[in-house]
Structure formats: structure tokens, C-alpha cells
Amino acid sequence: MERLIESTSSGLYCAAGDFFIDPWRPVARALITHAHSDHARPGHAAYLTAAPGAPLVRERVGATVESIPYGERRRIGDAWVSFHPAGHMRGASQIRVEVRGRVSVVTGDFKRDADPTADLYEPLRCDELIMESTFALPIYQWPPVASVMDDLHAWWRENQEASRTSVLLTYAVGKAQRLLAMLNPEIGPILYHGAVERFVELYRAAGVALAPARKAQAEDAKALRGRALLIAPPSAQNTPWLRKWAPYSIGFASGWMRVRGARRRRGADRGFVISDHADWPALLQTIEESGAEWIGLTHGYGDALARYLREQGRNADVLRTEFAGEDHEMKSEMPDASEPP
């Protein structure tokens, strides 16, 4: 049977509506799930995204971006499309496409856990489900976020007692703001690297409640080292900018920290398992709730999950895409990470 959405050399394409979803090469019409750089790319002729994420996508692509509210249906060609919360970060969306009664859902990156900076994931029924599979192995199961934050706050206090600066490495868009919404500012001053700043401002402008924090200045390294918690992109590690804050302890916030070897490879003293992607149980729950007769998997451990689903009697395939998930976000969201404070 012909699919409503197919993978092409330019991206996921809907022939009935003549549009692409998160295309990686320039196209005439792009529907964008969220503002991470492997999904929202510059160079398209027209953009459409969900209203809560529009300011972030505009900042990312540097172009005019049209938006519609979550849940509102729009006719494009012979297709009806609507955007629904994906929970991945502020404004992140699943895209529902309906053509003559048949429904396809593209999840984009998503998570089902509550996030104070994003709308809660919305389960959707469909015939075809195109789903990200970044952490599609049984080992990737997330602990409760509250317990991870307790550990993070305890680590910060331990560092203060030892007169060490707490350096928390994470990606600049989405995760940094989520952490700022959950950190306890009563423990000490919170500062962030310049690569984080522009998106913090967009979150605050949208009314998202974040802990008091500001961009780290040159004089702060002397005045606040040993007390402050400093949020920085991974690419700031081992730079002259960071060495001004020594002595310090490095923590890393990512789903990859679920595996001890990942923390060692990243050169971190502590790993905090906080992810903005669905874990293994959440991926299976999403497939079950969708009722989809076919599942297409994009990036991450898609091969492993497709094999597992086929063993369960389901119809599943891996789709070739240029999405990269959390590892991409770690590496490439911070092009100016070495800039001085």
C-alpha cells in the first residue's frame, strides 16, 4: 500500500499535500516539528509550525515562519494537517496528516514525561506512525526526574563545601531551559554560557517560569567560583573560558548518562539521566496506543526496535533520515561555545 508520508532524498514528503516535514534540503514548503537544528534548517521557501514554537524556529532559520495553534486543522492540497504537543521542548509538535480518512502521524522528537517548559505529549491514533527511536533499547529507562534533581542539588552542595564550581554540561536549546525551570536558586547563583542566552530570553518572553539566572561575565569567575552552578554546552569543555572557573566539577545531563561508559567518554565527574526523548517503555506505549498498522522508525536504534516489533508480529521499517537526536543536539547546538563570557 502507498504510504501517506514517504522518505525522499530531501526529507519526509507528503505527495497529497506537496509538502515536506523537517526536510534537510531546501524545499518549497516545510512543516517543522521543533527548533533543533537537525529538524529546523534554513533555506526553505515557506515554513509552517505550531504557534508555541514559532519564535524559536524563527530564531533558528532566520526567516518568516507561519504558525497555527495546536489542534487546528489546515487544508494543504488534498491533505488535512494539524500540530499536536510532542513534549520534547517548548513548541515541539507531532504532525498529523489525514488524506481521505487515512491518518499518518510523524512524532518528531518526543517525550511523555512532564516538563515545566513544554506542553504535555498528546497520544494520537493513526494508521501509519513515523516515530523517532533515539533510545530504542531496553537499557534506556529513565529514573523519576525529581530524584535526579535531588541528586543534582546534592552534588552542587557537595561542590560548594569543597569550594568547587559546579559545571553542568547540557545542550543549549530546550534542555538548558528545562533545567533552569527545575533548579533551586536558593542553593547559590546560577549562570549560563553565552550560547544558552538567546534561547533563555525567548523562553522568558513567552512567559515560561525559569530560575533567576544570567549570562556569566568575566568578573564572575573570580567572584563566584566555588559557589555558582554554571550551565554550559559540552563544547565549552577544556576551553580557556571554562578553565577560569577552576577548581570545578563537571556534571553531564543527558539520556546517554544511563550508560556508565558514556559519562567516562564525556570526561564528566557525574552523570545525570535527564532526557528530552522517550525511553524504551514510552516508545512501546506510544506504538500500542497509536493503533498503527505500520510503524516507520527514524534515527537512533531504529534497527533494533524494528527487529523487536517484527518478532512481535508488527509491520515496521526503518526510514532513512538525516535526523540525529540527542547526540546531534549535544554536538552542534552550540556553534559559539568557545566564545568568551
Side-chain angles (χ1 to χ4, degrees), residues 29-213:
R29 183 189 295 272
L31 275 58
I32 303 298
T33 61
H34 67 286
H36 280 145
S37 60
D38 57 333
H39 292 261
R41 304 179 189 235
H44 306 310
Y47 293 87
L48 179 66
T49 194
L56 302 173
V57 175
R58 290 190 192 104
E59 177 69 19
R60 175 69 71 193
V61 303
T64 299
V65 175
E66 187 182 2
S67 66
I68 59 174
Y70 279 140
E72 181 173 303
R73 282 160 51 92
R74 174 169 297 193
R75 182 80 179 257
I76 303 179
D78 291 331
W80 287 95
V81 303
S82 53
F83 293 71
H84 303 264
H88 175 61
M89 60 174 287
R90 177 166 176 76
S93 304
Q94 307 169 83
I95 298 179
R96 182 183 186 275
V97 179
E98 181 175 350
V99 179
R100 293 181 288 277
R102 188 167 180 81
V103 175
S104 179
V105 168
V106 178
T107 66
D109 291 345
F110 76 102
K111 72 173 180 293
R112 301 180 63 117
D113 294 336
D115 177 339
T117 68
D119 290 274
L120 189 63
Y121 167 87
E122 177 184 343
L124 296 172
R125 300 282 294 180
C126 59
D127 302 293
E128 305 169 4
L129 177 67
I130 298 178
M131 187 182 79
E132 66 123 331
S133 48
T134 304
F135 290 106
L137 290 178
I139 192 174
Y140 291 110
Q141 300 191 32
W142 310 145
V145 172
S147 68
V148 177
M149 290 306 298
D150 287 344
D151 291 344
L152 196 157
H153 287 139
W155 165 74
W156 185 5
R157 292 188 177 95
E158 291 167 6
N159 289 333
Q160 288 179 327
E161 292 172 0
S163 298
R164 294 187 297 255
T165 306
S166 298
V167 179
L168 184 58
L169 300 181
T170 192
Y171 45 92
V173 185
K175 180 67 68 61
Q177 292 75 30
R178 183 185 180 194
L179 289 166
L180 278 172
M182 298 189 294
L183 284 167
N184 180 2
E186 295 181 357
I187 297 175
I190 303 172
L191 305 172
Y192 47 77
H193 188 278
V196 178
E197 183 180 34
R198 58 181 175 145
F199 290 98
V200 168
E201 292 175 350
L202 289 173
Y203 272 64
R204 292 195 192 283
V208 179
L210 304 178

Side-chain angles (χ1 to χ4, degrees), residues 38-39 108-109 131-138 140 256 277-278 280 283 296-307 317-329:
D38 57 333
H39 292 261
D109 291 345
M131 187 182 79
E132 66 123 331
S133 48
T134 304
F135 290 106
L137 290 178
Y140 291 110
W256 299 117
H277 293 261
W280 174 257
L283 291 170
L297 301 167
T298 69
H299 66 285
Y301 291 103
D303 288 327
L305 180 53
R307 186 166 55 250
D317 294 298
V318 176
L319 303 184
R320 190 198 69 80
T321 69
E322 295 189 9
F323 308 140
E326 191 152 322
D327 196 54
H328 171 88
E329 294 151 18

